[in-house]
Amino acid sequence: MMPLLFLRGTLLLVIVGLMMPVSDASAASASASVIKDVARKVDARYAQTKDLQADFVQETILEGFTTGFTSSGRLYLKKPGLLRWDYLHPSEEQIYVDGDQVMMYVPEHQQVVKGALTQMAASKGPLALLQGAGNLSQQFTILESTDGSRDADKFPSLTLVPKPVGQTPPTIKKIVLKLFPDTYFIQGITLFEVSGNISRVVFDHIQANTGLSSSQLTFDVPPDVVVVELP
């Protein structure tokens, strides 16, 4: 279970950061001005987003395995740091994030795993964004994707490459974002770990600024549930 928890923790850490502004992005290529303009529009979109919910489909491939597995559910996010991530298929699991604190609840096992996102992933950039202490451009170089992933209108996807931070090597090799060209919401995130793990999540039926209550994104541990705290 722990490799999956680690990967989900890394993915959550990235997602909560990507839902925040990405302004003043650094870019390198002949189309740098286009990439900067796209990043500014994504920034403007999420700066206006106070809460967000969406359906998702996630595909995860672990290093050493030839086939991956797919799960789906619904995401809820409310600024400045609340996130609820509900896996509904093929099994139920609820993940609640409040700042750096995370709880993973598996109803079938009657168990809650408690810990911190920073215990599950080494990338601090998105977490700093979540806590209002920075932006993605301080931790990532933002480039146009080089895999030819453009739509019919030649709308670019973006690749985020982690910048070195201190002596700790990044656990994320790169992150590829696909955007909705009409709204600049994030349509898909592909996370490439240095370990070789790959996780791809695609969002649909996005709803923003619906007035989500904080109570919808918080979790009270039932009295008959076993709580396991990560060291």
Side-chain angles (χ1 to χ4, degrees):
M1 184 177 181
M2 285 308 297
L4 180 57
L5 287 180
F6 184 92
L7 188 61
R8 285 183 175 177
T10 304
L11 180 64
L12 285 170
L13 189 58
V14 170
I15 288 174
V16 294
L18 292 177
M19 296 305 178
M20 301 298 117
V22 294
S23 60
D24 300 321
S26 57
S29 74
S31 58
S33 61
V34 174
I35 300 308
K36 287 184 178 181
D37 182 60
V38 170
R40 282 194 294 267
K41 289 177 179 178
V42 175
D43 176 34
R45 168 58 63 187
Y46 283 97
Q48 299 169 8
T49 302
K50 306 304 180 184
D51 60 67
L52 181 145
Q53 52 186 306
D55 295 331
F56 72 85
V57 175
Q58 180 181 342
E59 180 185 13
T60 303
I61 302 174
L62 298 177
E63 175 67 12
F65 291 80
T66 56
T67 58
F69 56 91
T70 302
S71 53
S72 62
R74 191 154 182 84
L75 161 76
Y76 305 86
L77 182 143
K78 182 177 178 65
K79 292 180 181 179
L82 294 177
L83 174 71
R84 176 175 174 177
W85 187 266
D86 284 1
Y87 288 93
L88 302 176
H89 304 285
S91 59
E92 292 188 19
E93 179 179 345
Q94 299 170 8
I95 303 177
Y96 297 84
V97 177
D98 185 351
D100 187 36
Q101 299 303 306
V102 58
M103 290 192 293
M104 300 184 179
Y105 174 47
V106 184
E108 181 182 359
H109 299 160
Q110 287 294 284
Q111 183 181 83
V112 171
V113 177
K114 294 179 65 175
L117 286 177
T118 46
Q119 292 175 307
M120 302 178 193
S123 172
K124 304 298 193 301
L127 180 59
L129 270 179
L130 178 65
Q131 297 174 326
N135 57 60
L136 285 184
S137 65
Q138 293 179 334
Q139 301 292 337
F140 295 93
T141 298
I142 303 180
L143 310 170
E144 181 179 358
S145 296
T146 58
D147 58 1
S149 53
R150 289 170 171 261
D151 62 18
D153 296 324
K154 299 187 181 303
F155 193 82
S157 59
L158 302 179
T159 294
L160 310 181
V161 179
K163 296 178 180 179
V165 179
Q167 301 299 316
T168 303
T171 61
I172 300 170
K173 184 178 180 180
K174 66 177 180 179
I175 304 163
V176 177
L177 302 184
K178 184 177 180 181
L179 307 172
F180 286 106
D182 52 341
T183 64
Y184 289 89
F185 278 120
I186 296 169
Q187 181 180 24
I189 301 171
T190 303
L191 177 68
F192 296 85
E193 297 237 33
V194 173
S195 64
N197 296 334
I198 300 174
S199 189
R200 179 179 296 107
V201 59
V202 176
F203 300 106
D204 197 7
H205 302 115
I206 294 177
Q207 297 175 281
N209 298 329
T210 60
L212 277 176
S213 170
S214 297
S215 63
Q216 295 177 259
L217 290 84
T218 56
F219 177 67
D220 294 323
V221 179
D224 57 342
V225 168
V226 176
V227 177
V228 178
E229 298 209 20
L230 295 178

